[in-house]
Amino acid sequence: MNTDFDAIVIGAGMSGSWSAKELCEKGLKTLLLERGRNVEHIVDYPTTNMNPWEFEHRGEMSYKIRQENPSISKCYAFREDNQHFFVRDTEHEYVQDKPFDWIRGYQVGGRSIMWARQTQRWSDLDFEGPLRDGFAVDWPIRHNDLESWYSHVEKFVGIAGEKDGLDTLPDGEFLPSWEFSCVENHFKDVVKNKYNDRHVIFGRCAHLTQPQEIHFQQGRGQCQNRTECERGCPFGGYFNANSSTIPWAQKTGNLTLRPFSVVHSIIYDEKTGKASGVKVIDANTKEVIEYKAKIIFVNAGSVNTNLVLLNSKSERFPNGLGNDNDILGKYVAFHNYRASITATSNAFLDKKTKGKRPSSPYIPRFRNVYKQETNFLRGYAAGFQARRELKQASTEGLGKTLSDNILKEKPDLGGWSIGSHMMGETIPKETNYVSLDDSKVDEWGIPLLHVSIDYDENDEKMIQDYFTELTKMFEQAGFTDIKTRDTKQAPGLDIHVMGGVRMGNDPKTSLLNKWNQLHHCKNVFVTDGACMTSTSTQNPSLTYMALSARAANYAVEELKKGNLG
Ligand SMILES: Cc1cc2nc3c(=O)[nH]c(=O)nc-3n(C[C@H](O)[C@H](O)[C@H](O)COP(=O)(O)OP(=O)(O)OC[C@H]3O[C@@H](n4cnc5c(N)ncnc54)[C@H](O)[C@@H]3O)c2cc1C
């Protein structure tokens, strides 16, 4: 196989597939390296058309698997129908200073196969957070820098949503949204009447409610509301890299996709002062191969991107590539998903919900938006939904007794069940970090990752505020039986782990410039969650995709000018 390329992208997940698509479309011969197996759209979704009764455990995970995998089993999406897309606890060991549940998907497509598809833009109120509130460093970009790239990504991916006209959550290029249930509509109206600054909208999400020509060209079709998305969708009804960006890049004839390729490190050329390529270990044969390229995109998925850079040591960079200021791996932050609240409503009993819906309403951040107003920094967004479902039939007895019990019960709709979960911003701190563990290497000779990440007092206060405010809002809507719950879950389970290779204007206090380029090694770009200076509250992947597309186009321009190659 040829080992010389124009560009190398490390990681074939959500962000890497966007980097590769853009580079290929601009004519660059691009090598896309993925440590896991290939997953081809449709062919490799083995459970996508299975019925519940066709699964050995009817969709539940067995006791044995849960016992063997306590960490990944906590993830709501790890189920019998899609377990093959998740890394198990017993695979790919890492060292935890403090409990950290790392949710990973090592395959072509990465976690874009199993994601919940929520896609909200950032506003300047998010980008200006660190500067206003005096933490981390100032972001070198604002919404204006990303606006056209958000649009570029949204049009290709296909995002369902409404133009809500909110400062906190800029509108985008939307396909038709889903409908609110009557109880959700009622809550929306109550919130609108009681508060000037709080809103209930429908979450923007990556589903084709009305596919356009660009989606048909990708071979994707309309979302069928099956809500089996995490198995992989045979219609391409939601966006994943496998149905969309990767085949699109392949169609250009410029993509070489190499699965089973574990990137060990980036090779730095002391003479040119640039990266010359990457060292890869074949996952199966353990063969060591070096690939060369003029530019390198690191998209291994936040934490793993930190690992690749930390392990890229040279005489010039003994502590990891670009790491002159010793902050590589530090200032990691995440979303705080510990808190939720449930309630019931006995109003609207003459109405019910019909059919399925793969997304739900969303409450954009309303705390500390324009000024500091609480005893904690920043704020939270929240998910929200109200459904009326058939009460669970009796599960007494076995065999004939069980079926008799189920059949004799009259269908009962019961009241409405209402739920919300918090999506809190956490503050990046030097003490929340990842590093190389010096005690052990994995089977490919790469040091294990050492994780030291925890909550702080700010997070605890934010949880209490969410409980107080959402309880008030629920009471105002007349909801009853309100219950709050703090899962106390460890960081990591929220999945949105960010930072470690943050963007900033000053090379003394950041690693990447405003183009996601390492300050000290200009032909290396980091455009996944590792680049995030702060986390805000929005689901982050839309921003990673927009940053990837923007940086890839910039890199091509710089290459043409002779500034990189
Ligand atoms: C259950 C679930 C729900 C989610 N819901 C949402 C949501 O609603 N909205 C949202 O915005 N985000 C959501 N996410 C998160 C979203 O999936 C990630 O933010 C997104 O996939 C990140 O893209 P990425 O390219 O950085 O990482 P990934 O998609 O994880 O891809 C990284 C790839 O790099 C590969 N890799 C790692 N190390 C190496 C190496 N050394 N060499 C070669 N390859 C390597 C991995 O195998 C992987 O394929 C969810 C995730 C999960 C699991």
Side-chain angles (χ1 to χ4, degrees):
M1 182 183 161
N2 172 29
T3 52
D4 271 348
F5 292 85
D6 296 324
I8 291 174
V9 178
I10 304 172
M14 183 121 51
S15 63
S17 75
W18 263 96
S19 304
K21 168 191 169 292
E22 299 292 317
L23 296 168
C24 287
E25 277 184 310
K26 289 278 145 60
L28 265 56
K29 293 287 174 201
T30 303
L31 174 65
L32 178 57
L33 293 166
E34 168 54 49
R35 70 173 301 148
R37 69 188 168 105
N38 195 9
V39 171
E40 264 185 60
H41 181 49
I42 307 181
V43 205
D44 292 316
Y45 306 153
T47 57
T48 189
N49 285 325
M50 282 171 69
N51 292 302
W53 56 88
E54 293 173 296
F55 290 95
E56 193 182 352
H57 304 101
R58 306 294 182 264
E60 296 298 316
M61 297 306 286
S62 72
Y63 179 72
K64 183 169 183 290
I65 292 182
R66 280 188 280 130
Q67 289 296 104
E68 285 169 1
N69 299 278
S71 204
I72 186 67
S73 292
K74 289 181 214 150
C75 176
Y76 73 96
F78 180 66
R79 301 183 312 239
E80 193 178 20
D81 60 351
N82 69 353
Q83 50 177 311
H84 42 277
F85 293 135
F86 287 89
V87 171
R88 306 244 169 152
D89 294 10
T90 40
E91 303 161 334
H92 306 293
E93 193 187 342
Y94 58 99
V95 181
Q96 303 166 57
D97 242 9
K98 301 163 188 164
F100 180 79
D101 293 323
W102 193 6
I103 310 301
R104 294 163 288 171
Y106 287 174
Q107 61 250 327
V108 169
R111 288 168 295 165
S112 77
I113 303 176
M114 313 88 88
W115 72 317
R117 311 158 307 278
Q118 297 300 304
T119 36
Q120 332 297 335
R121 284 188 182 197
W122 278 40
S123 73
D124 278 350
L125 297 160
D126 306 299
F127 285 112
E128 283 164 6
L131 181 66
R132 190 195 80 178
D133 290 345
F135 64 93
V137 290
D138 187 17
W139 275 88
I141 56 168
R142 295 290 185 263
H143 179 261
N144 197 23
D145 298 288
L146 269 194
E147 193 168 12
S148 64
W149 297 104
Y150 273 138
S151 292
H152 178 68
V153 169
E154 285 163 344
K155 283 187 203 152
F156 191 83
V157 161
I159 307 289
E162 301 236 8
K163 294 209 186 270
D164 300 293
L166 304 178
D167 294 356
T168 41
L169 212 66
D171 290 331
E173 313 286 337
F174 297 142
L175 305 172
S177 184
W178 274 277
E179 281 179 34
F180 289 85
S181 68
C182 57
V183 173
E184 290 165 353
N185 253 327
H186 161 72
F187 184 62
K188 180 183 170 186
D189 290 345
V190 169
V191 170
K192 193 172 170 200
N193 291 336
K194 301 271 178 192
Y195 301 91
N196 294 327
D197 59 346
R198 301 186 190 186
H199 307 274
V200 182
I201 64 164
F202 212 94
R204 289 92 188 249
C205 60
H207 281 262
L208 299 183
T209 46
Q210 198 177 88
Q212 305 294 303
E213 180 52 31
I214 186 71
H215 308 121
F216 293 131
Q217 285 174 18
Q218 295 167 41
R220 298 171 57 205
Q222 179 146 0
C223 168
Q224 306 290 310
N225 292 345
R226 297 180 342 136
T227 66
E228 310 290 9
C229 318
E230 287 90 353
R231 299 176 180 183
C233 177
F235 300 93
Y238 77 96
F239 169 84
N240 68 14
N242 315 65
S243 64
S244 175
T245 26
I246 292 176
W248 194 267
Q250 278 166 328
K251 270 200 284 190
T252 65
N254 291 326
L255 185 78
T256 303
L257 172 64
R258 194 182 195 285
F260 296 121
S261 304
V262 183
V263 172
H264 173 279
S265 51
I266 297 169
I267 304 161
Y268 181 74
D269 184 336
E270 310 274 347
K271 282 197 216 98
T272 60
K274 293 192 182 98
S276 59
V278 298
K279 178 175 163 183
V280 167
I281 320 284
D282 185 288
N284 299 317
T285 63
K286 307 271 157 62
E287 185 191 354
V288 179
I289 312 161
E290 288 189 3
Y291 291 102
K292 305 252 172 264
K294 296 180 192 113
I295 49 176
I296 295 166
F297 270 68
V298 199
N299 292 102
S302 294
V303 178
N304 272 317
T305 284
N306 278 276
L307 174 60
V308 170
L309 291 174
L310 285 163
N311 201 36
S312 301
K313 295 180 179 178
S314 57
E315 225 169 274
R316 165 72 182 82
F317 294 112
N319 300 320
L321 189 62
N323 191 16
D324 280 357
N325 49 26
D326 203 28
I327 63 164
L328 177 60
K330 296 175 185 162
Y331 299 96
V332 172
F334 53 96
H335 281 157
N336 178 358
Y337 275 29
R338 263 171 47 186
S340 61
I341 176 160
T342 55
T344 54
S345 170
N346 286 323
F348 299 99
L349 291 185
D350 56 335
K351 300 207 165 51
K352 58 181 180 176
T353 43
K354 190 176 166 218
K356 297 182 186 176
R357 197 183 58 177
S359 187
S360 50
Y362 180 92
I363 305 170
R365 177 162 80 97
F366 54 82
R367 275 310 208 195
N368 303 322
V369 174
Y370 299 103
K371 61 178 189 336
Q372 184 61 35
E373 56 193 13
T374 66
N375 65 350
F376 58 87
L377 285 183
R378 313 306 297 160
Y380 46 84
F384 172 74
Q385 61 179 18
R387 288 197 216 124
R388 199 161 180 221
E389 284 169 341
L390 208 57
K391 259 196 198 160
Q392 183 76 38
S394 161
T395 50
E396 290 292 304
L398 281 174
K400 186 163 178 342
T401 324
L402 174 63
S403 56
D404 286 349
N405 277 341
I406 291 170
L407 290 172
K408 83 173 174 223
E409 257 185 49
K410 277 216 219 102
D412 178 5
L413 274 176
W416 287 81
S417 29
I418 294 146
S420 166
H421 64 276
M422 180 182 104
M423 298 179 260
E425 174 165 358
T426 70
I427 306 296
K429 296 180 291 282
E430 194 173 4
T431 46
N432 275 348
Y433 67 91
V434 297
S435 60
L436 299 182
D437 193 79
D438 49 20
S439 65
K440 214 171 160 190
V441 292
D442 66 14
E443 58 181 292
W444 299 278
I446 299 169
L448 294 191
L449 193 81
H450 182 111
V451 187
S452 186
I453 296 174
D454 212 345
Y455 296 99
D456 63 17
E457 209 188 318
N458 201 64
D459 303 319
E460 303 299 334
K461 287 181 182 161
M462 196 184 287
I463 289 173
Q464 292 316 314
D465 189 76
Y466 165 82
F467 287 152
T468 310
E469 294 307 313
L470 266 286
T471 300
K472 259 193 251 165
M473 288 157 76
F474 276 19
E475 281 170 353
Q476 276 158 345
F479 299 159
T480 49
D481 197 20
I482 300 170
K483 291 188 184 123
T484 60
R485 180 166 179 248
D486 177 356
T487 61
K488 307 261 181 201
Q489 68 194 35
L493 199 57
D494 49 80
I495 306 168
H496 305 157
V497 183
M498 294 171 241
V501 197
R502 72 184 177 193
M503 293 171 78
N505 289 312
D506 185 353
K508 290 201 190 75
T509 55
S510 62
L511 286 139
L512 303 168
N513 67 14
K514 66 175 178 177
W515 297 107
N516 294 75
Q517 210 171 5
L518 277 179
H519 286 301
H520 298 302
C521 186
K522 290 276 193 290
N523 66 336
V524 174
F525 293 79
V526 175
T527 63
D528 62 11
C531 76
M532 301 293 277
T533 308
S534 64
T535 73
S536 197
T537 58
Q538 287 90 325
N539 321 74
S541 308
L542 178 71
T543 301
Y544 305 165
M545 293 191 271
L547 286 169
S548 300
R550 176 177 178 265
N553 280 272
Y554 173 79
V556 173
E557 288 308 311
E558 286 296 284
L559 204 55
K560 278 193 206 149
K561 288 183 202 153
N563 293 342
L564 296 177

